[in-house]
């Protein structure tokens, strides 16, 4: 016999609690970030990306402004860092999802939020550096396609992949 309801009332309430918590956390974190200048985040990612690129032998400079610019000797045009380059959206989504997983202990959720933000920073830096290296070695023609592709893959892999890995660990 096929069950009429795929979810029990209890499961529906848990899902609703998660979604409500996610929405509240997302709005609260987004509101808090509103008070921090975006250029600080742009500069942070420009600086760590530039550090990695320096290790790979690429010189240049960072120009603080809005947006923050990364001028590399290997490129004729600067790389502009905008809101989407910061990974803030992904960090807020991951932090909100982890914090809203109410069936898991507060300690594991707090660790999950911190580890998630760290993972987003590392993965986002890798995405930025990869995009810049594609521009350097394949030119601007390949840059638009690769940037869009890497951004979409990053968005899915970073958010869904991290949450899946964290949740699997947290429920053990």
């Amino acid at each position: 016999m096929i069950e009429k309801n795929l979810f029990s009332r209890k499961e529906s309430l848990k899902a609703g609690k998660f979604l409500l918590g996610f929405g509240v956390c997302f709005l609260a974190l987004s509101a808090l970030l509103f008070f921090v200048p975006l250029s600080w985040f742009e500069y942070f990612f420009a600086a760590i990306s530039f550090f990695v690129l320096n290790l790979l032998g690429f010189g240049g400079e960072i120009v603080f402004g809005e947006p923050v610019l990364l001028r590399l000797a290997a490129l004729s045009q600067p790389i502009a860092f905008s809101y989407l380059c910061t990974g803030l959206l992904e960090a807020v989504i991951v932090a909100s999802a982890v914090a809203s997983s109410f069936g898991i202990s507060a300690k594991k959720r707090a660790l999950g939020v911190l580890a998630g933000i760290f993972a987003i920073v590392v993965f986002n830096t890798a995405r930025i550096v990869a995009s810049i290296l594609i521009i350097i070695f394949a030119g601007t023609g390949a840059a638009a396609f690769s940037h869009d592709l890497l951004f979409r893959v990053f968005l899915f892999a970073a958010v869904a992949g991290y949450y899946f890995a964290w949740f699997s660990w947290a429920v053990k």
Side-chain angles (χ1 to χ4, degrees), residues 3-128:
E3 188 177 330
K4 284 184 180 181
N5 295 324
L6 295 176
F7 294 105
S8 67
R9 180 174 171 84
K10 182 179 175 183
E11 291 300 314
S12 295
L13 288 173
K14 282 174 31 180
K17 186 177 176 182
F18 172 81
L19 290 173
L20 179 62
F22 178 86
V24 169
C25 285
F26 185 86
L27 290 173
L29 290 173
S30 295
L32 286 174
L33 288 174
F34 179 76
F35 295 104
V36 181
L38 179 60
S39 57
W40 292 5
F41 294 105
E42 293 169 350
Y43 184 82
F44 173 76
F45 280 100
I48 59 175
S49 299
F50 185 53
F51 175 77
V52 172
L53 289 163
N54 262 324
L55 292 176
L56 298 173
F58 297 99
E61 67 177 345
I62 299 172
V63 180
F64 189 80
E66 184 52 44
V68 172
L69 299 176
L70 175 57
R71 295 186 187 277
L72 295 174
L75 296 172
S76 60
Q77 296 293 319
I79 305 292
F81 283 74
S82 68
Y83 170 75
L84 292 177
C85 298
T86 64
L88 285 174
L89 176 63
E90 293 84 356
V92 169
I93 290 171
V94 164
S96 298
V98 170
S100 300
S101 298
F102 297 112
I104 296 170
S105 74
K107 181 179 178 181
K108 285 185 176 180
R109 286 185 284 149
L111 287 172
V113 167
L114 293 175
I117 291 169
F118 179 77
I120 294 294
V121 168
V122 169
F123 198 19
N124 193 41
T125 301
R127 179 189 65 83
I128 292 168

Side-chain angles (χ1 to χ4, degrees), residues 137-150:
F137 291 111
T140 55
F145 174 74
S146 63
H147 182 269
D148 289 346
L149 179 65
L150 286 174

Side-chain angles (χ1 to χ4, degrees), residues 131-142:
S131 294
I132 292 171
L133 291 173
I134 290 169
I135 293 169
I136 291 170
F137 291 111
T140 55

